[in-house]
Amino acid sequence: MDIGSNIRAIRKRKNITIAQICEETGLSQGFLSQVETNKTSPSIATLESIAQALKVPLAYLLLKKEERMQIVRKGERKVTVFNGSEKLKVAHLSSTKNVKMMMVEMPPGASTGETPHAHEGEEVHMLIQGKVFVQQGEETAEINAGDSFSWNACTPHSVKNIGDETAIVVIAVYTETDQGRNLL
């Protein structure tokens, strides 16, 4: 863990000196300097007092870099094209270890495949634009812009654009493991 670097970054961002933290916590400057350079590991009680002095939750100090807020700018999205000639355009919006958000553009007549497919995870969909036909197992429905739907993805499912315009679907996928990264 890189707790010391987290403490230093927060302290500098808030323009707080080591002396100010030490005054509030009762810690020595030498000790706090060693904490910030990861040369010593403070107790939970010490971390709690440092967190209070920085006015942040203790849990925030313990977050790993990949657990902190991640930002994907519109122009920096990874975009992939699936399904051969159907040209499903998938923009990967953001993700955490277990949740992934995507925006799928489906031209008129395009689908996720001729046969329904299944995979790990749970999906929540919001149709932003267009009209689609959805199927999970034996259940089917027509979905219009503004509607949303969800399902457990382990049951075979499919989506087809039945409208005259490109359908845009925002999808959030939850998986128990980090394996569910190539979903659709």
Side-chain angles (χ1 to χ4, degrees):
M1 288 190 125
D2 200 11
I3 296 170
S5 297
N6 291 345
I7 292 169
R8 174 178 279 160
I10 294 165
R11 182 179 61 75
K12 287 187 174 200
R13 188 175 63 245
K14 292 186 170 203
N15 294 316
I16 299 172
T17 66
I18 286 182
Q20 289 171 314
I21 297 290
C22 292
E23 187 178 314
E24 193 166 330
T25 63
L27 301 171
S28 73
Q29 288 190 22
F31 177 76
L32 190 55
S33 179
Q34 286 187 336
V35 169
E36 285 192 354
T37 57
N38 293 307
K39 291 180 180 167
T40 189
S41 296
S43 68
I44 295 295
T46 299
L47 283 174
E48 179 66 38
S49 66
I50 293 170
Q52 287 175 356
L54 293 171
K55 296 179 178 38
V56 297
L58 172 61
Y60 188 72
L61 296 181
L62 303 175
L63 289 176
K64 296 176 188 170
K65 184 177 180 182
E66 63 271 12
E67 295 171 330
R68 292 182 179 274
M69 179 171 62
Q70 305 292 316
I71 298 171
V72 178
R73 302 286 180 197
K74 183 178 180 180
E76 298 170 350
R77 292 177 187 155
K78 177 184 170 194
V79 177
T80 52
V81 178
F82 285 99
N83 213 17
S85 63
E86 304 257 16
K87 303 291 188 220
L88 297 183
K89 182 177 167 186
V90 180
H92 303 270
L93 303 177
S94 195
S95 63
T96 64
K97 180 179 177 188
N98 300 99
V99 179
K100 182 173 186 168
M101 283 197 67
M102 302 169 285
M103 182 170 57
V104 180
E105 294 182 22
M106 303 176 77
S111 71
T112 55
E114 289 188 30
T115 58
H117 63 283
H119 53 82
E120 176 193 6
E122 297 174 357
E123 299 180 353
V124 177
H125 308 77
M126 170 76 176
L127 187 61
I128 303 299
Q129 173 182 300
K131 183 176 187 177
V132 296
F133 178 80
V134 298
Q135 176 181 2
Q136 182 197 32
E138 299 302 313
E139 294 181 64
T140 62
E142 285 187 11
I143 307 295
N144 296 296
D147 296 342
S148 59
F149 59 101
S150 58
W151 52 43
N152 189 317
C154 70
T155 301
H157 56 278
S158 64
V159 179
K160 181 175 182 169
N161 183 349
I162 58 172
D164 297 331
E165 65 180 329
T166 297
I168 299 176
V169 185
V170 174
I171 306 171
V173 182
Y174 171 81
T175 55
E176 290 283 330
T177 63
D178 203 13
Q179 299 172 11
R181 292 295 172 213
N182 293 322
L183 308 170
L184 194 56

